[in-house]
């Protein structure tokens, strides 16, 4: 559903409104900097602009490196996503395993994957590119899997009625039907790739915006830090908007809302596919390390990690440290996650009751949604300190924006004919919201809640790694700097499995709720 | 009755279909359709007309019995691109223009592009001027006409039309009933037409099969010995009315039984 078409106040073009939103944002920011600059470590847009004009070379060189890494990772990650989607199409039974493995890989905590990749791949840009690819492939794979099936059965009957097979289906129907979904995925992927490259740079690269960020954070160079984060945010918004513009130029149809997970026709039992995913993950992990004959000192095999966690003399101590770090993280993660979801959904409903406010807020929210919040983590730490408030806020903000935007879209998603029925009875806005729009919003809400799990984990681990010195992120940072690879790999494994389980748990609640409240939404 | 009946082209023997869940749609059906003839299928909604069409097109496998088209299986004929179907749902591809959708009929049948034929079909179904329009900007009836044109574009040997005029207004329907049949008759196309309109069945068909409620069986097999080409004044003739009331009676009998 196109935003421009559904907003009231059709007169203003989206570009004009985006510009207006940007101006308001800049003004508010400058005002805040002038009023609160004494109490908080805050640099306004004027100061940021001055800093940038004084340091053009430094910023430009770092930006070029990060852009290149992000772009390379973007291409690589999306190519992998397309290959995997193709495999799932050719062999539908493999789809649950492909999506399960992909989810597990997507849930790897990037902050710890970075240092591991660095010792595996050596110095240079390769680890950052790999991280950028890891950050994007899942969010492209899922829409592609949905899009390749997003066609009514009768279109396939048409192709079959001429005696044509799957290649013709792919060429004439699936490829084109998937295009809007692909663009939707690419649009989310563009800022995510940039973010992935930056997280890679946070964790030990030599050059790039992320490296500058770390340097300025250590030196408490407030204008420098705000400038670098502003550049990162602007690049992300531009990348997001650029792909959106490309999509509008290529496609005639409005972008799709990607709600449910792709369904498979002949899926094996959930337990069977989970077991398969686990077995395959271990096998690929082990075989990959062996095939490259990597040094077991830093390239731990599944057996080493199990040994460290279960058998070794200090296993109990390892587990205790892991558990303590995890529970410390959970204290920040859970309230932030829940707050982000609740505030996102509540604000979306409030804005729906006050359409005039919605027209103003939505373009801004869409723009901010594309900001890699994690890249601005240092700013939140600067503003709110290294305590609980900063971390919880960061997680909350990370969860809030996608939830808010998805819920707003969902609220506007009600089918026209049903809306007409409510119009006939001149139903009030509140009645509409309760009976019509909230049920229509639920799938979008759950989709956002599901995808927010890995995002929240990423946010919390990055901020712990960078700043707070607590929780699992800090434990990973410590293990990386002490070359305690047993602990580092254990952290990666445990965090990935826990976030994949969290994701699956939300998906389970989603399925149960939707089958009760909106049964027509459960099937694709 | 023609003195010398043409040889059977489609032969169904003991044809039955039970959908998963036990919905029995066709009670064993034996029927032979002559080559080059137009047969109309009429019957109550949900009795299995579309299912029968899909079985003949090889899009669905029968639960029992067999279908032969010119001595071959539907799958074989399908792979020869000898069949084309105008589905009950017009199923145009939204990203192709009207012209592109009709040309797709030739492309899918692996035939060379034929711009002149495509344009002639567009004119025949009364859509001239909309060549570049996307389906979303066409009305329901216009989309149906486009689907008929697409089905005709590949010059099939077997043409299956599932309520092709369902959403078309009465006047346009009559015009199409005059303009389109020559197109398949001059090529000797065997045509199977599902329709809810008794007069349309009599006007277009050489033979009418009246089906009962689900599971469908043939309650009447009525020959329409009216000469071709049929002109619009035919609908006023006494013979036409007699046939129409015969079909209506049979329909009522099929529903009552
Ligand atoms: N794929 C399917 N699975 C289960 N049942 C089906 C399927 N397709 C059709 N049916 C059932 O078979 C019966 C006949 O369907 P069909 O579409 O052939 O009817 P029809 O005679 O074409 O009706 P109409 O005139 O309304 O188009 C219906 O009761 C329908 O519910
Ligand atoms: Mg039908």
């Amino acid at each position: 559903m196109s935003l421009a078409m559904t907003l009231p106040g059709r007169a203003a073009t989206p570009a004009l409104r985006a510009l207006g939103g940007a101006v308001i944002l800049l003004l508010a920011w400058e005002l805040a900097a002038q009023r609160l600059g004494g109490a908080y470590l805050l640099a306004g847009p004027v100061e940021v602009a001055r800093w940038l004009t004084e340091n053009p070379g430094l910023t430009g060189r770092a930006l070029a490196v990060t852009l290149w890494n992000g772009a390379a990772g973007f291409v690589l990650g999306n190519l992998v996503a397309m290959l995997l989607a193709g495999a799932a199409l050719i062999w539908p039974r493999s789809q649950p395993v492909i999506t399960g493995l992909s989810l597990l890989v997507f849930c790897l905590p990037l902050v710890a994957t970075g240092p591991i990749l660095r010792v595996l791949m050596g110095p240079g840009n390769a680890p950052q590119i790999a991280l950028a690819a890891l950050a994007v492939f899942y969010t492209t794979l899922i829409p592609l899997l949905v899009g390749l099936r997003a066609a009514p059965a009768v279109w396939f009957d048409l192709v079959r009625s001429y005696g044509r097979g799957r290649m013709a289906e792919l060429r004439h129907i699936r490829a084109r039907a998937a295009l809007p979904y692909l663009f939707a995925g690419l649009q989310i992927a563009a800022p995510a790739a940039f973010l992935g490259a930056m997280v890679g740079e946070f964790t030990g690269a030599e050059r790039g915006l992320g490296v500058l960020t770390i340097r300025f954070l250590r030196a408490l160079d407030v204008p420098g830090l705000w400038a670098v984060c502003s550049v990162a945010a602007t690049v992300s918004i531009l990348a997001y908007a650029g792909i959106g513009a490309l999509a509008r130029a290529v496609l005639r149809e409005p972008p799709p809302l990607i709600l449910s997970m792709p369904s498979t026709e002949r899926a094996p039992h959930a337990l069977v596919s989970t077991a398969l995913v686990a077995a395959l993950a271990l096998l690929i992990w082990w075989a990959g390390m062996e095939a490259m004959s990597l040094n077991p000192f830093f390239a731990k095999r599944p057996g080493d990690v199990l040994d460290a966690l279960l058998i070794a003399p200090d296993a109990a101590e390892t587990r205790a440290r892991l558990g303590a770090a995890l529970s410390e993280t959970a204290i920040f993660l859970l309230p932030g996650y829940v707050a982000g979801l609740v505030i996102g959904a509540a604000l979306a409903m409030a804005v729906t009751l006050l359409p005039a406010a919605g027209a103003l807020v939505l373009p801004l929210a869409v723009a901010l949604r594309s900001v890699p919040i994690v890249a601005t983590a240092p700013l939140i730490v600067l503003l709110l300190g290294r305590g609980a408030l900063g971390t919880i806020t960061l997680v909350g903000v990370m969860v809030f924006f996608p939830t808010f935007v998805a819920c707003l879209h969902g609220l506007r998603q009600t089918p026209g004919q049903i809306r007409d029925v409510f119009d006939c009875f001149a139903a009030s806005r509140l009645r509409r919201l309760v009976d019509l729009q909230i049920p229509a919003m639920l799938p979008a809400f759950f989709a956002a809640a599901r995808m927010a799990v890995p995002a929240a984990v990423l946010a919390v681990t990055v901020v712990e790694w960078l700043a707070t010195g607590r929780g699992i992120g800090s434990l990973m940072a410590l293990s990386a700097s002490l070359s305690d690879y047993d602990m580092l790999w254990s952290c990666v494994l445990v965090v990935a499995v826990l976030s994949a389980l969290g994701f699956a748990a939300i998906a389970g609640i989603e399925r149960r709720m939707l089958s009760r409240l909106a049964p027509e939404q459960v099937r694709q | 009755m023609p003195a010398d009946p043409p040889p059977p082209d489609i032969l169904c023997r003991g044809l039955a279909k039970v959908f998963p869940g036990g919905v029995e749609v066709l009670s064993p059906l034996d029927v032979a359709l002559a080559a080059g003839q137009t047969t109309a299928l009429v019957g109550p909604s949900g009795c299995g007309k579309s299912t029968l069409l899909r079985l003949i097109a090889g899009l669905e496998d029968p639960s029992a019995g067999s279908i032969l088209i010119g001595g071959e299986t539907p799958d074989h004929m399908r792979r020869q691109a000898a069949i084309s179907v105008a589905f009950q749902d017009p199923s145009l591809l939204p990203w192709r223009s009207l012209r592109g959708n009709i040309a797709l009929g030739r492309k899918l049948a692996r035939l060379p592009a034929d711009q002149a034929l495509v344009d002639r079909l567009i004119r025949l179904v009364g859509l001239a001027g909309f060549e570049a329009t996307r389906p979303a900007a066409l009305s329901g009836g216009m989309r149906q006409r486009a689907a008929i044109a697409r089905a005709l574009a590949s010059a099939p040997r077997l043409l299956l039309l599932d309520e092709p005029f369902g959403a078309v207004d009465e006047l346009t329907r009559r015009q199409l009933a005059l303009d389109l049949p020559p197109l398949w008759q001059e090529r000797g196309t065997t045509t199977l037409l599902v329709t809810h309109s008794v007069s349309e069945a009599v006007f277009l068909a050489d033979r009418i099969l009246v089906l009962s409620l689900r599971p469908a069986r043939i309650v009447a097999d009525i020959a329409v010995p009216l000469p071709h080409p049929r002109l619009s004044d035919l609908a006023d003739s006494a013979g036409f009315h007699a046939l129409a009331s015969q079909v209506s009676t049979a329909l009522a009998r099929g529903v009552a039984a």
Side-chain angles (χ1 to χ4, degrees), chain B residues 19 23 25 44-51 88 163 196 214:
Chain B
F19 279 111
V23 183
V25 179
S45 177
C47 74
K49 303 179 295 292
S50 298
T51 305
Q88 191 165 1
E163 290 180 41
H196 279 297
R214 187 169 63 80

Side-chain angles (χ1 to χ4, degrees), chain A residues 151-152 154-165 168 171-174 176-177 252-253, chain B residues 54 59 78-79 83-85 87 91-96 104-105 107-110 134 150 154:
Chain A
V154 65
W155 294 357
F156 299 117
D157 284 342
L158 176 73
V159 173
R160 283 173 54 212
S161 73
Y162 289 97
R164 304 293 299 273
R171 197 174 126 214
H172 293 291
I173 294 175
R174 292 190 196 274
R176 181 58 185 72
R252 273 151 225 275
E253 58 265 55
Chain B
R54 293 171 57 79
L59 295 173
R78 205 154 49 91
R79 273 193 283 277
I83 303 177
S84 67
V85 188
F87 293 92
S91 62
L92 304 178
L93 301 187
W95 48 81
R96 283 175 167 264
L104 185 67
K107 199 175 257 182
L108 286 175
R110 298 182 198 272
R134 311 259 150 196
R150 180 179 59 197
S154 59

Side-chain angles (χ1 to χ4, degrees), chain A residues 68-298:
Chain A
W68 165 253
N69 290 340
F74 178 81
V75 171
L76 192 69
N78 287 312
L79 275 180
V80 170
M82 288 184 211
L83 286 179
L84 289 177
L89 191 64
I90 292 170
W91 190 29
R93 269 167 199 277
S94 72
Q95 184 170 305
V97 175
I98 288 180
T99 51
L101 273 177
S102 302
L103 174 65
L104 203 56
V105 173
F106 182 63
C107 285
L108 291 175
L110 291 187
V111 282
T113 322
I116 289 180
L117 286 177
R118 185 146 293 109
V119 291
L120 295 184
M121 300 170 125
N125 288 335
Q128 288 87 286
I129 295 176
L131 281 196
L134 282 178
V136 303
F137 88 103
Y138 188 74
T139 47
T140 301
L141 173 67
I142 294 301
L144 257 184
L145 286 175
V146 175
L148 286 168
R149 293 186 170 74
V154 65
W155 294 357
F156 299 117
D157 284 342
L158 176 73
V159 173
R160 283 173 54 212
S161 73
Y162 289 97
R164 304 293 299 273
R166 285 159 50 133
M167 279 318 289
E169 272 180 16
L170 182 62
R171 197 174 126 214
H172 293 291
I173 294 175
R174 292 190 196 274
R176 181 58 185 72
L179 211 54
Y181 291 81
L182 176 63
F183 271 115
L186 292 182
Q187 198 174 18
I188 295 173
F194 194 74
L195 164 69
M198 272 189 82
V199 171
E201 292 164 357
F202 284 166
T203 57
E206 299 83 33
R207 292 179 302 152
L209 282 183
V211 177
L212 280 190
T213 311
I214 298 285
R215 199 194 298 163
F216 294 153
L217 188 63
R218 300 246 157 89
L220 262 188
D221 180 342
V222 177
L225 195 55
W226 276 86
V228 170
C229 291
S230 307
V231 169
T234 311
V235 168
S236 297
I237 292 179
L238 289 180
Y240 185 86
I243 295 200
L246 186 69
R248 279 191 297 280
V250 172
L251 303 172
R252 273 151 225 275
E253 58 265 55
L257 260 189
I258 293 135
L259 300 176
S260 35
M261 294 287 282
S263 58
T264 25
E265 299 98 64
R266 286 160 297 169
H269 194 273
L271 265 179
V272 176
S273 54
T274 309
L276 253 177
V277 166
L280 267 174
L282 293 177
L283 183 70
I284 293 172
W285 173 6
W286 175 81
M289 299 288 142
E290 290 296 325
M292 291 185 281
S293 42
L294 293 167
N295 184 343
F297 171 64
F298 53 78

